[in-house]
Amino acid sequence: MSPGKASNPPREAVLLVGAGYGALKVAEDLSHAGIPVLWATRAAHFLELPDSVEPFEQWPADLNYQFRPLYLRVTRHRLVTPLTQARLESVSPHGAGYDVVVAQDPKYIDYDLCTGCGRCSEVCPLDQGEAPPLSRTPGYCPSRALQLDKRLISPCRQGCPLGVNAQAYLALTATGRFDEALEVIKRDNPLLGVCGRVCHHPCEAACRRGELDQPLAIRDIKRFLFDYAAQQGPPTLPRPAAARRDQRVAVVGSGPAGLCAAHYLNQAGLQVTVLEALDQAGGMLRAGINAFRLPRKVLDAEIQALVDSGVEIKTNRPVEDIEALLAQGYRAVLLTTGTHQDLRLNIPGEDLAGVEHCVTFLAGVNRSGQGKVGPRTVIIGGGNSAMDAARTALRLGAEQVTVLAIETEDQLPAHPEEVRQAREEGVVFRLGLAPVEFTGGPAVNGIRLRAAHWESSPGGPPRLVFDSEQIEDMAADCVIVSIGQRPHLARHGLDAQLTLGPGDRLAADDRGRTDRPGVFVAGDVVTGPSTVVDSMAGGRRAAYSIIEYLGDPAAGEHWYGLAARGVGDYPPIGEDVPQQPRQEMARRQPKVRRRDFDEVDLGLSQAQAQAEATRCLQCGVCCECQACESACADIGAINHFAVGRRHQLRAPAVIVADRAELPDGVELGGDNVFWVEADHYSADLMDVLMAGGSAAGQAMAPAASLRVESVEPAPAAAPAGDPSRLGFFLCACNQTMAPAETLQGILQRAAAVPEVAHCELIPSACHPDGADRVARALAEKNLGRAILASCACCPINFACISCNDQRTRVRRHLFDRRGLERSRFELCNLRDHINDGRLSQDQVMERAMDLLRAAFIRSRYLGPLRRGDTELGNRILILGGSDIGVSAARNLAVQGFKVRLVHRCAIAGEELPEAVAARPQARGLEKSIVQVDTPVEITGIKGNIGDFTVTAKAGGRGRRWKADLVCLTDENLIPLTIFAGRVGLKKFYRYDFAFFHTPRMGIYRVMPRTLQRVDAFRAGAALAGEVATAAAKAYLNDHQLSPVVDPLRCRGCGRCAEICPFDAAVLRENGDGTYTAEVLRHNCVGCGGCVGRCPVTAMDIPFFSNQVLMSMVAGRLSKER
Amino acid sequence: MTLDSPEIKRIIQERSLYMCLECGKCSASCPRMLTGKEYSPRLMAHKLMVEPEDEAFIEHSLWECLTCGLCEERCPSGVEYTQLMLELRIHLAQAKGLMGERAHDGALHSWMRMMTSPEMRQNRLEWITPELRVTDRGDTAFFTGCAPYFDIFFAGIEVDTLAIVKDSIRLLNFLDITPVVMGEERCCGHDLLWSGDQENFETLCRLNYQEFQAAGVKRVVVSCPECYQVLSGYMPQVIEGFDLEVILLMDLVGEQVRQGGVSFKPLARRVTFQDPCRLGRMADHVRQPRFLLEQIPRLTLGEMASHGRGSLCCGNSAFVNCDAYSKRIQVTRLKEAEATGADMLVTACPKCMIHLCCAMRDPHQGEPLAMEVCDLISLVAEHIQWAQSEKPLAASQ
Amino acid sequence: MSSLNLWGICCNWSPYACYNAAGMAKRELPPNFRLMRVMCIGRINQALILRAFEYGADGVIVLECVDEDCRYGPGPEVGHTNVARVRRLLHYLGIGQERLVEKSFAADDMEKLVQCLWDFSEAIEAIGPNPAKPRQEREAS
């Protein structure tokens, strides 16, 4: 398909800024006059009124419906490039015109593709909420397209080093969609089981719910999801879809950083091998974290999932030589060796028996399940590892476990939750004390302590300050020093092969790149001891750096761009949001759990998890779960990663419909800026529209050089096919039409109809692919006629007030783009009438078949529509030299029309009004305007648009003028076309908002009301604009429904002529005193009133022929079906 | 299906088509043909006999016939062309579902068919005013026909065919007859029959006959020639043991006039008379209407160029295939009427009244053709009086 | 589901916009209601209404634009005339003039239309079936 206009705007066009009805009128007139328009507004749609505008006083209740066809015609016109949520960035004069830059916000939904099926909304977990992210565009916008409200990325997601989309999985969990929630997590976190248990959840710290009551228990929900899935089977990770490239990467170390990096490398299609020095993978996850916090089966299962997804893990493979690895064919090496060497206190007695160091201690216990502590065990240090050591000591049988730390309670580096659990289990805390010596020998039996605290020192690490000289002795049979770790690179001799930074850590940039090409580092070995999730994020960053290094520069684009992507603000927390406590997990009792290494936390129940997830405030509005994107896969209209665009263009004229949309500080100057102004703030709609028409008319003069033929070039006609072969196409509307079995049932029933030669289910009829499928089937199966059951229902040219974007797109794709003959199609609106939501399958089926019965009846009477067009010249005759007439004449002459102005006119037999007679001749009219000044009596206007003959008498002499279009610009001439008491005039033009029209196509007039609205100059410009729209069409199409008369049947009774307010049905004398009716093709509007009046059915009209209507009654009402 | 089926052969045979000499008098007299329509009874006869494979022509022409009977009148060989058309229409309507182009989009046929429902409980007698004496049981019934319906449907051309019915009852009352007027009378079925719908026609016949029997009727008086044709001619073919006497109101009045005792108020006008085909040619009632008109003192009758059994049709029958040529026939007829110098057109059939009025209401051609139209029965009812009485009937209202 | 046949003749403009809006809003309508659309009520004639009854409609509703809204001008007036005449015919036929209903709508009268169709349905249910059923139905019953 051709790309949408919005993605491919013109380089040269009139710029129209601002939304509203006046702007709509501008865009209508300009585009219909053949002049390209780029229409930009900050609003979400073009009828959004500026705040400052009062509601119109004279606003007919149903006006919005009447604007629909206009809105559609204009926004989908091929010469209009409509940009919503777009700002004028700069305007600078260039010659007589302007250079313009327009910036547009990201468009997450492509309105050239969106079919408005609403499936996105159905699958959206937040659609039922108070602020649904997906909403229909406003009621009076004829598009059923949806809008997506995306704000800043939620704080929880921003707070997560991995950028895990917590908002999305909370939303999905709240609605019980656990599998999808898991998928969301897996996008950003391959170790969700681990993180669901041991993550320090910075997301919760960022959670805005904390401002109201307590943050969401995000981690616990993640754990619930993992456990939920574990009940169904072992965890899985997606196998990479991309073909595996022959590029091998080695990851050294299998801790969180290494595993996470391996996952993303694998997902990118690289061949990853993880080399682990120990006999089991997991790194610090296994060595440093206790089984009662992280059960081994969880860790093992997740590592197995990684292996199953294609990651190769080799254990017992210490790496000592990086060069050798590269030489083995690894294109890149990632070092994630962690920090497995304990820091020492370096105080006397540290080497006594019974003094252990934390990592060594924990690794021993965790790996072999063995460890020895004394009855009185003291843990030195206040971090998470210290808590682990303390609780492990309890489980190993220590009678009393004391944690000794310099920090105060508030300063403890361990997570408060860990501290709390340790306390519950009986761990005693002694704070503000620093060990100065271990006593005893050969085994330790005590610790000497001094009161101390940390003092921060500017620019350096905090400094230990002793508070007193007093020394306290504390008994201890076992001491575990837990004050931190450092890399152990020296153990394998790696330290010499790479540049080291502070603390013997490896030096690298913030994306894990070292100064050696192909060598990358991540995790604690770079950062020093940190958290699981931070290590994983480091691994992921390094993975993207590697993928980038191996040739895909966009690898981490979306992830890195996460925070920058959001726009707008979070919605404020409503005052009516009730406080609601956070759900707590069930835990084993402290006295029981301290007896073994079984897991302490029991997890949230399903009800708890859902209740907790429901507390989420959904800060970002759209949670970006992307369920909608999946649902829209066939349509392809949704892109969550869309970016904003800037458009540059040259504008010969600028029209401003709303001053407030001009950028701050921009002063627009020059001759070719026009304002839909003053009146814009009027409370009268007609004033606003008139101002729009006027601005458009004025802009046409400088923009005349851009004029192109407004009528779209017709594509090559598709072959006609065999009319006896009927195709039946059913639009599934992206699976929203009806349940699949109902659709199949309909297809089966349709296939059984004898004339049906082909049946097909079309995923979406208004989508370009849908039209292509229909066109292909018609050609391949030689089908002469087709029924398309969708939402389209059009008997006319897709311009009635029930129409919408989808229906017009069916037309555009099938008829305009594919060149299929309109008259071969019967369009049936199933979608809107098939189901009111209360019907059973059978009833839906029955109703569908009832609607289709009508379609089948109609399809039998498909036949050629009235076709034909009239070429228009550019001769314009203006009768009446009022100020409006003169203004219009000037404008039209500048636009290149051949204008004749007749100055003083009266209708034959009537007095020339004094005001007209006394009016001075207009001066300074361009020479191109032929001015006839003599007082003239108009005796008649004969003919039709494109071929008028005006007869007149002037100075006793007869005159005749030929013209394509005629304007009556003095009031006294109006009775020439609008007869007193004529029906059908008052409201007709309301639908087109074409003020200057008369019932006779091609004759324009000025009504007194016009003058009250705008000054004569601007009224003239508006008139000129209106005239130019007709003239520039160059071709005028016949109304497709225009009736035909059978002259052998017509009695010439004239009832048709009597009823037609448009002078379309006329009687012609046959030369023998008899008359026959004739339908004038241009004037006809296709209502069929004349056909209904005909007593002898001598007239007939396509689509609503006598035969069709008769068969419809008989076929649909009778019981024989 | 071809048109040389045994059934069609039988119809042709029975209606003496094989007697056709191909002299062409039928076409030379056919009003359709004479107004320029591409339709020829002579060619139709030829096709039916010799080229039955030309289905399109035959099926088209079948509905073009006015069934006015003028060709038959002129035929030297006694071909029963009208009846032939009727039987072929019935046969092809049944066999192929043909129904011709129905005027007024078939509205009249619709309500006529609706009347075939036995459950209907009509309100068709609401127009009966207290001074009209009617009863629901008795020997003599008056068959009103479709006038109440026509007047509503044709309100646009301002005809008053109901006046004929009211005047008929008034005349019967004048003759001291209190007729049975049946609340559940149906359409006589003439238009359904002549447009080929025999089945519904027969249903109507049976329903009407049941009503007659239920009311104890022995004699049916009718004023409409079409109803007369059906009740006297076709209903007996449908109803076994049909035992009703069917009589035209004008005959009843004529009888009374001939017996003496009545006189007529004078009317100083020149009138002309439109012979309805079902009355003049088909019921051979050319003399009776003229006899009645002659009774009205000072009234002069100007005969149109074609009159009596050679009279020109009002342009349409059975509301089938009205068209530009129907209009031309009507215009011709109205010009004939004008040429008599008459200022009143007397009709004897509500359809003639409707069709000719329709042509007169034409905004383009109607003005010069417009003429006062009055039904014979109304004219008689307005002017008849008992010889001794000075009090005219009209004054008793 | 009622076995009665409800038939609607609907102008393409305001009433159809309402009907369509009701459909899009998934509003429940009488299940036995069927609609025939024409471009303008000016298109219909007496025959079209009568034919619905001939073919077994138990009630017919003519849905048109409010007088001054007619896109073409004379539509509603034609509707009024035809409906008035057919109602008189129906009355004479004993079918009952209340079986023929005429209603006019503005383009945003969706609620009114839904209500009106239910009222119509209820009214026809109350009267019962059309006594002038088509032949084949009479024979079937």
Side-chain angles (χ1 to χ4, degrees), chain B residues 105 110 117 120 123 126 199, chain C residues 51 54 91-93 131 135:
Chain B
D105 207 6
S110 273
S117 166
M120 288 185 93
N123 300 304
E126 285 187 354
E199 188 186 347
Chain C
R51 194 173 289 131
E54 182 195 343
H91 174 66
Y92 267 30
L93 284 164
R135 182 182 52 79

Side-chain angles (χ1 to χ4, degrees), chain A residues 710-941:
Chain A
S710 175
V711 177
E712 199 153 357
D722 176 355
S724 71
R725 293 172 62 79
L726 179 68
F728 179 80
F729 299 93
L730 177 59
C731 172
C733 200
N734 196 24
Q735 303 176 37
T736 60
M737 174 72 83
E741 56 267 44
T742 308
L743 296 181
Q744 284 309 322
I746 293 172
L747 284 176
Q748 274 166 19
R749 298 268 290 273
V753 176
E755 60 209 298
V756 172
H758 176 72
C759 268
E760 190 170 340
L761 191 67
I762 301 293
S764 201
C766 58
H767 193 271
D769 294 343
D772 291 347
R773 289 175 71 140
V774 173
R776 201 160 45 235
L778 288 183
E780 283 171 7
K781 310 276 179 180
N782 188 29
L783 307 172
R785 294 173 297 133
I787 291 176
L788 174 58
S790 57
C791 68
C793 55
C794 194
I796 48 174
N797 203 16
F798 297 84
C800 90
I801 52 178
S802 298
C803 207
N804 59 36
D805 206 14
Q806 288 63 39
R807 298 176 194 177
T808 62
R809 273 173 20 197
V810 166
R811 178 204 65 198
R812 212 172 64 232
H813 291 304
L814 280 178
F815 312 132
D816 299 350
R817 186 168 65 79
R818 298 296 312 222
L820 296 167
E821 186 69 50
R822 170 72 182 88
S823 58
R824 293 165 72 190
F825 280 83
E826 165 59 21
L827 304 174
C828 171
N829 184 355
L830 268 196
R831 191 191 199 275
D832 295 328
H833 301 294
I834 201 174
N835 193 351
D836 59 29
R838 278 160 286 261
L839 301 181
S840 69
Q841 288 282 334
D842 288 348
Q843 286 168 324
V844 170
M845 181 83 180
E846 193 183 323
R847 186 170 288 185
M849 291 316 295
D850 185 52
L851 290 167
L852 287 173
R853 193 166 297 121
F856 275 105
I857 292 169
R858 290 184 158 286
S859 75
R860 282 176 212 132
Y861 299 99
L862 286 173
L865 295 166
R866 182 100 182 240
R867 289 181 76 96
D869 42 44
T870 306
E871 208 160 337
L872 268 191
N874 66 350
R875 302 164 302 173
I876 296 170
L877 178 63
I878 297 178
L879 300 180
S882 67
D883 291 347
I884 297 177
V886 172
S887 163
R890 277 208 183 98
N891 185 312
L892 287 165
V894 175
Q895 289 192 52
F897 292 96
K898 216 172 125 190
V899 183
R900 180 193 300 271
L901 181 83
V902 183
H903 200 63
R904 297 187 183 112
C905 303
I907 298 177
E910 287 184 11
E911 286 290 303
L912 190 64
E914 213 170 295
V916 176
R919 184 190 289 148
Q921 186 182 347
R923 278 196 222 151
L925 277 183
E926 289 72 8
K927 282 191 188 128
S928 59
I929 300 176
V930 180
Q931 202 178 358
V932 180
D933 184 42
T934 333
V936 170
E937 269 184 64
I938 306 295
T939 52
I941 304 178

Side-chain angles (χ1 to χ4, degrees), chain A residues 61-62 65 793 802 807 829 832-833 835-836 838 850 984 987-988 991 1061 1087 1092-1093 1104 1106 1116 1121, chain C residues 5 12-13 17 19-20 23-24 26 28 34-35 37 39 42-43 68-69 71-74 78 82 108:
Chain A
D62 58 349
Y65 287 88
C793 55
S802 298
R807 298 176 194 177
N829 184 355
D832 295 328
H833 301 294
N835 193 351
D836 59 29
R838 278 160 286 261
D850 185 52
K987 298 288 176 163
F988 172 65
Y991 297 90
C1087 68
R1093 294 283 65 64
F1104 300 103
N1106 296 307
R1116 294 188 71 203
R1121 281 167 187 160
Chain C
N5 263 329
N12 181 67
W13 296 89
Y19 180 73
N20 209 38
M24 279 158 81
K26 303 276 177 214
E28 192 178 358
R34 293 191 188 86
L35 188 83
R37 184 162 50 137
M39 281 311 297
R43 168 70 184 87
E68 61 270 28
D69 269 5
R71 189 179 161 84
Y72 309 111
V78 171
N82 281 322
D108 59 349

Side-chain angles (χ1 to χ4, degrees), chain A residues 153 157 160-165 187-189 260 264 510-511 533-545 554-565 641:
Chain A
I153 299 297
R157 192 174 179 192
C160 177
L162 278 172
V164 175
N165 190 350
R187 279 183 215 149
D188 293 299
N189 188 342
C260 186
Y264 286 100
D510 60 355
R511 293 197 176 185
V533 70
D534 283 315
S535 295
M536 288 176 69
R540 188 172 181 182
R541 269 195 295 276
Y544 288 138
S545 294
E557 201 175 52
H558 292 333
W559 191 60
Y560 283 122
L562 182 70
R565 214 172 57 236
F641 302 108

Side-chain angles (χ1 to χ4, degrees), chain A residues 87-393:
Chain A
R87 292 169 312 284
L88 178 60
E89 215 170 69
S90 71
V91 186
S92 50
H94 183 113
Y98 307 87
D99 280 332
V100 173
V101 179
V102 175
Q104 193 181 23
D105 287 346
K107 303 298 284 180
Y108 304 110
I109 296 183
D110 182 342
Y111 291 122
D112 288 325
L113 294 178
C114 173
T115 66
C117 70
R119 233 181 115 219
C120 48
S121 186
E122 280 174 17
V123 301
C124 177
L126 298 172
D127 191 48
Q128 306 305 319
E130 279 180 15
L134 284 157
S135 57
R136 300 276 180 195
T137 42
Y140 46 85
C141 173
S143 170
R144 287 206 298 233
L146 287 101
Q147 279 182 323
L148 181 53
D149 186 3
K150 282 167 77 99
R151 308 288 180 89
L152 280 176
I153 299 297
S154 63
C156 48
R157 192 174 179 192
Q158 293 208 41
C160 177
L162 278 172
V164 175
N165 190 350
Q167 189 191 343
Y169 74 76
L170 292 175
L172 290 163
T173 304
T175 52
R177 290 157 63 178
F178 306 133
D179 293 328
E180 289 168 80
L182 280 162
E183 293 309 312
V184 168
I185 301 173
K186 285 179 191 174
R187 279 183 215 149
D188 293 299
N189 188 342
L191 302 175
L192 58 157
V194 170
C195 289
R197 285 172 160 85
V198 302
C199 182
H200 71 300
H201 50 70
C203 49
E204 295 184 20
C207 177
R208 275 169 81 228
R209 181 95 199 186
E211 297 169 23
L212 177 67
D213 39 38
Q214 292 159 288
L216 267 281
I218 301 175
R219 184 185 71 181
D220 298 347
I221 288 171
K222 184 186 283 147
R223 170 188 164 145
F224 160 78
L225 291 169
F226 178 86
D227 291 349
Y228 166 85
Q231 286 169 7
Q232 334 287 323
T236 57
L237 288 169
R239 291 189 73 88
R244 292 184 79 82
R245 279 177 284 163
D246 190 22
Q247 288 182 317
R248 296 168 64 210
V249 178
V251 175
V252 182
S254 63
L259 292 177
C260 186
H263 171 70
Y264 286 100
L265 291 165
N266 178 50
Q267 293 298 321
L270 301 173
Q271 196 179 326
V272 192
T273 306
V274 178
L275 302 168
E276 168 59 50
L278 302 178
D279 58 350
Q280 279 179 297
M284 200 58 95
L285 295 174
R286 191 178 296 280
I289 300 177
N290 290 304
F292 58 83
R293 284 180 58 210
L294 175 59
R296 289 302 169 249
K297 62 173 195 234
V298 172
L299 179 59
D300 292 342
E302 291 215 295
I303 291 172
Q304 189 57 44
L306 269 172
V307 171
D308 292 342
S309 74
V311 173
E312 186 183 28
I313 299 180
K314 294 181 174 173
T315 50
N316 295 316
R317 294 289 284 272
V319 170
E320 290 165 356
D321 187 347
I322 296 166
E323 274 311 318
L325 274 182
L326 292 170
Q328 284 169 33
Y330 292 107
R331 300 282 306 277
V333 174
L334 173 63
L335 294 175
T336 62
T337 51
T339 50
H340 287 262
Q341 189 171 349
D342 284 302
L343 292 179
R344 291 171 63 86
L345 282 163
N346 292 326
I347 58 173
E350 201 167 355
D351 292 322
L352 289 172
V355 178
E356 297 219 41
H357 288 82
C358 183
V359 172
T360 321
F361 167 74
L362 285 177
V365 177
N366 288 333
R367 289 179 55 216
S368 62
Q370 314 232 321
K372 204 167 150 284
V373 292
R376 291 167 300 180
T377 297
V378 177
I379 316 293
I380 295 173
N384 285 325
S385 294
M387 298 307 123
D388 275 357
R391 297 170 72 189
T392 302

